[in-house]
Structure formats: structure tokens, C-alpha cells
């Protein structure tokens, strides 16, 4: 038992010992946070893992006596929730730093520390016994599974079926938009989500470029979707939508004319822009009930007020919600109808057009999709094949129209007739980084030249 009481004269300690017994638990937690914030920047990775293991798993002396005593206070006062919150935040402090630098392997090693056999060994030492009981419960918790999932490790008892793992970027969105999560956990989830999206866009561009240039050649890059070679046809159909008219240009014109509108006028013009006007008799009844009528009554008491950026954002978020979710936060009737018919490109274009006029709404779109994934994850892959196809179409469409991406459809055959060419086989898809396009479209200044040369 004596080994768990610090020797005040030990040469291993690098700080002067401070009595923190009378301090609050918040201060005790801060001592631990400060220690790991410091060593993740100044220690070798193996030593950081060793310090974490010694403190949280083995409860042994570490290089910070303040942090060691702080954990002892939390255990002594039997504050399990504070312990779990402290433990999680320290994990995300380390993982966030490592993920930013691309050291995902270290994130794997950190979460695997909790699978140590020592956690299950009985002991009579009070604090160590209490710590091991807490760790055993933590390993069985949803928080630990989330930590493993965000770290790229399979869960101990998985929350989702395997098919949903391919769409983890959406689930990560629901993590980093949750204000109740620790800031480090949110930052880590945002970093990983951004990385997954970048990788998807890169894989999609490489695959389509290869398969479009020579369909008979096996592409070096795997298809990042489950759509097969049909993903190329999908991209051409998206780019060909509305008679080759650029959806970005249509959205830009709509934004230009929004100035000075009342809320009622904006809602009317938004429906017309989306092609689901109140007066359109051809729209399905489910669309009328799911979106048109609901939007008409949304914030009706403010209809005569001039719109602001905030009200535009709120209305766009709400129409995305109407399109995707019902009042019980389950799939909307319109979505279910689209999935049953297995024809949802036009539906996805509606979502895209909303995002194009209000890019900030993309975060809400992804959060709503995350809710749908959680709903459908209780079903086997075979049972929700249409929904998976829908997700792939959404992924491809958003990738095509991402702010830093430029996809274009170029006609390769000059056919001599007076009719529009609707044969997509006569077109090739080209993708390019938007930054490179922007640089090429203007003459570089002396400062730009200096940057490019250096």
C-alpha cells in the first residue's frame, strides 16, 4: 500500500509538491489537463503513452505530482462522472494533437490501453480498486465505443452495422456539432471528418478520371462508392442537370435577388427556385404536405419582416429538415417515397440547391443525414440498399459541388446536327482543385509569384 503514497523527497518528481486537497474538483481536473497539454508537445509519443498508462491505468507516480494527487482526490471523493469526463478529455487532447499531425497509429495505441488485463485484476488497495471498477465500466460504455470509433478502431460492442462505417463522416458531424461534448472531442471529430471528406473527393476524382479515359482499363484507385461504374454516369447526369446550366450560377442569381425580400416573399421564391412552387399542380401530394404547406406556415408571424442572413439560414435549415425528417426525427414521407421508387437524383439535387444558396446549411444537412444513418443502422445492409445508394448519391453530388472542387462536362465529339446532344457518352468528366482554377484565371501578382516560386 505504501507504494501508492508519494515519497516527498523522490528524485523522480520534477515539480514542487503543492497541496491541492482543499481545491475544487475543477482545479484538480485542470491540473491533469495542463499536464497532458504540456507533455503532448514536449515529450516523445511513447513517453506520453507511458505517462497516460501509469496515471489512468496503473495509478502509479508520474512526472507531475499535481496531476497524480489530483486524480487521487477525484477517486477519494468518489466522483466517477468527473473521472470519466477527465479521462475522456485527456484522450481527446492527445488524439486531437496526434490526428492533426497524421499520427493515427498513436490514437489506436491510446484506446487499446484500456484493454489491459491489469484492469480486471482484484486488489485491496482502495483507490486502485475504485479506479479499476470505474475503468471496467468505462470500457463497457458508449463513450468508450465512440472514442474507439473516432480513433479508427472497431468498437468492443459495435453500435452500428458495418455498412454505416463507410459514412462515418456524417456521424462525426453529429459529434463535433454537439455542444455538450468536450471541445477536444469536437475538434478531433471535425479533423477526422474533414480528412475523410478530402480522401473521398480524391478517390472519386482519381477513379472517374481513370475509368472515363479508358473504360477497358482496370482503375488503380478503388471506387469509393457502391455504385460501380454507374458513378460516372451519375456525375455526368448531375453536371448535365437543367440543360447544362450551371447550378452554381443559378444559385448565385437567386442570392443576388434575395436582397429586400420579406420573409413571405423569400419562402415563395425559394420554393420556385427549388421547382416546387405552391402553384405547381404537378408536384406530388406528399411533397405538398411534407414541404410546401409546412414552409408556408413556418414563422408566419414574421412574414412581413425583411429577411436577414440569420433568417435565410434558419429557413434553409428548416426546409432541409422537412425534406429529410418527420416530426419524430424519423425518415420523412417524401424520403421514404423516393427510396421506394429508387429514383432520388432529383431529390438530392433539391438538397444541393439549398446548400448552394446557403453553404452554412451543409452542416445541418450532414447532421440530419447522421440521424437517418442512426435510424437505418438497426437494419441489415440488404434491407436498406436503397438508402445506402441514396447516401452514395449524396456523397458524390456534394463532392462535385464542394467549394474547393471544380468538375466540368466537356463534349468530346463534334456532331453535325442542329439538335442538342443528349448522349452522355459523347462527354468526358474533368475535375480540378478550385484553388488551381482560381490561380489560373487571374494573372499572378508579384506577391503570388513570390509565393509560387518559393
Amino acid at each position: 500500500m505504501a507504494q501508492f503514497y508519494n515519497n516527498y523527497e523522490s528524485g523522480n518528481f520534477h515539480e514542487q509538491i503543492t497541496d491541492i486537497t482543499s481545491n475544487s474538483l475543477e482545479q484538480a481536473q485542470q491540473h491533469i489537463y495542463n499536464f497532458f497539454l504540456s507533455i503532448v508537445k514536449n515529450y516523445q509519443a511513447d513517453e506520453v503513452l507511458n505517462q497516460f498508462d501509469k496515471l489512468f491505468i496503473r495509478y502509479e507516480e508520474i512526472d507531475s505530482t499535481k496531476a497524480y494527487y489530483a486524480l487521487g482526490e477525484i477517486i477519494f471523493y468518489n466522483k466517477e462522472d468527473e473521472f470519466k469526463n477527465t479521462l475522456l478529455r485527456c484522450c481527446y487532447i492527445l488524439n486531437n494533437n496526434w490526428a492533426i499531425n497524421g499520427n493515427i497509429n498513436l490514437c489506436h495505441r491510446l484506446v487499446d490501453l484500456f484493454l489491459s488485463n491489469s484492469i480486471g485484476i482484484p486488489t485491496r488497495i482502495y483507490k486502485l480498486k475504485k479506479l479499476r471498477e470505474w475503468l471496467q465500466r468505462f470500457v463497457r460504455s458508449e463513450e468508450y465505443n465512440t472514442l474507439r470509433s473516432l480513433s479508427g478502431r472497431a468498437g468492443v460492442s459495435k453500435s452500428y452495422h458495418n455498412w454505416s462505417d463507410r459514412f462515418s463522416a456524417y456521424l462525426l458531424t453529429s459529434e463535433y456539432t454537439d455542444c455538450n461534448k468536450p471541445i477536444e472531442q469536437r475538434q478531433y471529430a471535425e479533423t477526422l471528418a474533414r480528412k475523410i471528406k478530402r480522401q473521398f473527393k480524391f478517390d472519386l476524382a482519381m477513379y472517374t478520371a481513370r475509368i472515363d479515359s479508358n473504360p477497358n482499363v482496370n482503375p488503380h484507385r478503388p471506387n469509393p462508392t457502391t455504385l460501380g461504374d454507374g458513378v460516372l454516369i451519375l456525375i455526368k447526369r448531375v453536371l448535365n442537370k437543367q440543360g447544362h446550366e450551371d447550378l452554381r450560377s443559378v444559385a448565385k442569381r437567386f442570392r443576388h435577388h434575395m436582397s429586400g425580400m420579406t420573409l413571405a416573399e423569400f419562402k415563395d421564391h425559394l420554393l420556385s427556385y427549388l421547382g416546387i412552387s405552391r402553384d405547381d399542380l404537378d408536384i406530388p401530394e406528399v411533397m405538398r404536405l411534407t414541404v410546401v404547406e409546412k414552409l408556408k406556415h413556418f414563422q408566419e408571424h414574421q412574414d412581413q419582416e425583411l429577411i436577414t442572413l440569420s433568417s435565410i439560414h434558419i429557413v434553409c435549415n428548416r426546409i432541409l429538415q422537412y425534406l429529410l425528417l418527420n416530426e419524430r426525427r424519423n425518415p420523412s414521407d417524401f424520403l421514404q417515397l423516393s427510396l421506394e421508387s429508387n429514383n432520388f437524383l432529383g431529390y438530392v439535387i433539391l438538397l444541393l440547391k439549398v446548400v448552394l444558396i446557403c453553404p452554412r446549411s451543409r452542416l445541418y444537412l450532414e447532421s440530419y443525414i447522421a440521424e437517418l444513418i442512426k435510424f437505418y443502422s438497426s437494419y441489415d445492409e440488404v434491407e436498406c440498399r436503397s438508402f445506402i445508394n441514396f447516401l452514395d448519391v449524396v456523397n458524390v453530388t456534394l463532392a462535385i459541388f464542394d467549394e474547393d472542387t471544380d468538375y466540368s462536362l466537356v463534349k468530346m465529339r463534334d456532331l453535325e446536327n442542329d439538335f442538342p446532344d443528349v448522349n452522355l457518352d459523347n462527354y468526358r468528366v474533368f475535375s480540378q482543385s478550385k484553388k488551381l482554377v482560381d490561380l489560373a484565371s487571374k494573372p499572378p501578382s508579384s506577391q503570388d509569384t513570390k509565393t509560387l516560386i518559393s
Side-chain angles (χ1 to χ4, degrees):
M1 190 169 183
Q3 63 176 313
F4 295 101
Y5 291 89
N6 282 333
N7 178 355
Y8 282 20
E9 302 301 322
S10 172
N12 292 329
F13 300 151
H14 307 310
E15 309 172 57
Q16 182 178 352
I17 293 179
T18 303
D19 181 12
I20 63 167
T21 304
S22 60
N23 291 347
S24 66
L25 285 170
E26 290 80 5
Q27 288 175 309
Q29 290 173 304
Q30 195 60 51
H31 283 306
I32 299 174
Y33 302 147
N34 290 342
F35 173 63
F36 284 103
L37 281 167
S38 174
I39 66 171
V40 75
K41 298 174 182 176
N42 299 306
Y43 281 29
Q44 293 294 320
D46 285 342
E47 186 53 34
V48 173
L49 287 167
N50 183 49
Q51 292 288 310
F52 185 95
D53 182 51
K54 289 173 71 175
L55 178 64
F56 285 115
I57 308 299
R58 293 180 281 162
Y59 192 47
E60 297 176 357
E61 299 170 355
I62 57 172
D63 289 353
S64 170
T65 54
K66 287 183 181 180
Y68 176 69
Y69 276 124
L71 180 59
E73 290 295 308
I74 294 171
I75 298 173
F76 179 78
Y77 287 109
N78 200 30
K79 299 292 184 179
E80 183 174 2
D81 286 342
E82 282 76 5
F83 164 77
K84 185 165 68 172
N85 293 337
T86 305
L87 179 65
L88 279 169
R89 186 173 178 188
C90 287
C91 288
Y92 286 113
I93 285 172
L94 300 182
N95 278 353
N96 199 35
N97 278 272
W98 289 332
I100 288 173
N101 295 315
N103 298 320
I104 300 298
N105 180 56
L106 295 174
C107 304
H108 295 170
R109 291 172 61 188
L110 177 67
V111 295
D112 286 346
L113 290 176
F114 295 100
L115 303 182
S116 169
N117 291 331
S118 64
I119 292 174
I121 298 176
T123 177
R124 293 185 177 183
I125 301 172
Y126 172 76
K127 286 187 178 179
L128 186 58
K129 179 182 179 181
K130 181 66 66 177
L131 176 64
R132 288 179 177 174
E133 289 173 355
W134 289 354
L135 288 172
Q136 289 169 28
R137 283 195 286 272
F138 173 67
V139 169
R140 295 193 297 269
S141 72
E142 186 61 33
E143 290 89 344
Y144 177 62
N145 268 328
T146 299
L147 177 65
R148 289 187 65 85
S149 177
L150 293 179
S151 303
R153 279 287 202 238
V156 177
S157 57
K158 289 189 67 60
S159 306
Y160 306 111
H161 290 283
N162 289 335
W163 68 261
S164 65
D165 292 342
R166 283 204 307 112
F167 306 102
S168 58
Y170 294 106
L171 301 175
L172 288 166
T173 299
S174 66
E175 289 288 324
Y176 72 76
T177 55
D178 186 349
C179 295
N180 295 318
K181 304 287 186 183
I183 184 63
E184 290 82 9
Q185 179 175 349
R186 294 171 62 193
Q187 289 173 341
Y188 180 54
E190 185 175 12
T191 299
L192 286 184
R194 194 181 301 116
K195 180 178 180 182
I196 291 170
K197 290 175 188 175
R198 276 201 309 265
Q199 188 64 50
F200 177 83
K201 287 190 294 184
F202 179 76
D203 290 343
L204 180 66
M206 295 296 291
Y207 178 81
T208 54
R210 185 68 173 172
I211 197 70
D212 200 18
S213 61
N214 190 345
N216 298 318
V217 176
N218 187 37
H220 296 306
R221 288 271 170 181
N223 188 340
T225 74
T226 60
L227 300 174
D229 293 347
V231 69
L232 182 62
I233 301 299
L234 169 64
I235 293 174
K236 291 181 178 181
R237 289 180 63 195
V238 170
L239 294 174
N240 194 50
K241 203 70 175 172
Q242 294 193 350
H244 301 294
E245 190 168 17
D246 188 353
L247 290 172
R248 284 195 182 100
S249 299
V250 177
K252 185 177 180 180
R253 287 200 299 272
F254 180 78
R255 289 198 304 268
H256 178 72
H257 290 102
M258 288 191 308
S259 178
M261 287 184 186
T262 64
L263 181 61
E265 290 171 335
F266 173 67
K267 290 189 290 187
D268 273 340
H269 282 78
L270 177 60
L271 290 173
S272 297
Y273 160 74
L274 295 175
I276 50 175
S277 172
R278 294 178 186 173
D279 301 326
D280 188 351
L281 299 178
D282 292 331
I283 66 170
E285 185 63 19
V286 66
M287 169 67 84
R288 193 182 305 280
L289 296 174
T290 303
V291 179
V292 177
E293 289 302 317
K294 287 184 179 180
L295 189 66
K296 174 183 176 181
H297 299 294
F298 177 64
Q299 294 192 343
E300 206 169 11
H301 62 286
Q302 297 181 2
D303 271 353
Q304 301 312 311
E305 297 182 13
L306 292 177
I307 57 169
T308 63
L309 289 176
S310 177
S311 60
I312 292 170
H313 188 214
I314 291 170
V315 170
C316 288
N317 295 344
R318 187 52 61 99
I319 202 167
L320 288 172
Q321 181 182 324
Y322 292 156
L323 286 166
L324 292 166
L325 300 169
N326 62 22
E327 292 81 359
R328 299 183 302 279
R329 313 297 289 192
N330 291 335
S332 71
D333 292 342
F334 185 56
L335 174 59
Q336 292 185 64
L337 182 64
S338 299
L339 294 180
E340 287 172 9
S341 64
N342 205 30
N343 182 19
F344 29 71
L345 178 57
Y347 178 51
V348 172
I349 293 295
L350 287 180
L351 304 176
L352 170 67
K353 291 176 76 171
V354 176
V355 172
L356 287 177
I357 62 168
C358 187
R360 290 170 56 197
S361 291
R362 176 164 176 173
L363 199 61
Y364 285 81
L365 170 63
E366 293 179 358
S367 296
Y368 298 149
I369 290 176
E371 292 187 55
L372 291 171
I373 292 173
K374 291 175 183 177
F375 174 85
Y376 282 105
S377 64
S378 60
Y379 297 91
D380 290 330
E381 182 171 352
V382 175
E383 296 180 80
C384 48
R385 170 49 56 192
S386 290
F387 178 67
I388 295 172
N389 290 341
F390 164 76
L391 292 178
D392 275 323
V393 173
V394 170
N395 273 349
V396 171
T397 304
L398 291 179
I400 294 172
F401 286 89
D402 212 344
E403 292 179 346
D404 61 353
T405 308
D406 188 65
Y407 273 78
S408 55
L409 197 62
V410 179
K411 187 174 180 180
M412 303 303 293
R413 300 177 187 176
D414 189 14
L415 301 180
E416 297 181 2
N417 58 55
D418 296 328
F419 301 99
D421 185 6
V422 295
N423 186 355
L424 293 179
D425 289 337
N426 296 332
Y427 294 85
R428 283 272 306 278
V429 173
F430 290 89
S431 61
Q432 193 173 12
S433 168
K434 199 74 177 295
K435 293 179 181 178
L436 294 177
V437 173
D438 293 341
L439 278 173
S441 64
K442 64 176 183 177
S445 66
S446 58
Q447 183 63 41
D448 292 331
T449 305
K450 181 178 178 182
T451 304
L452 290 171
I453 293 174
S454 62

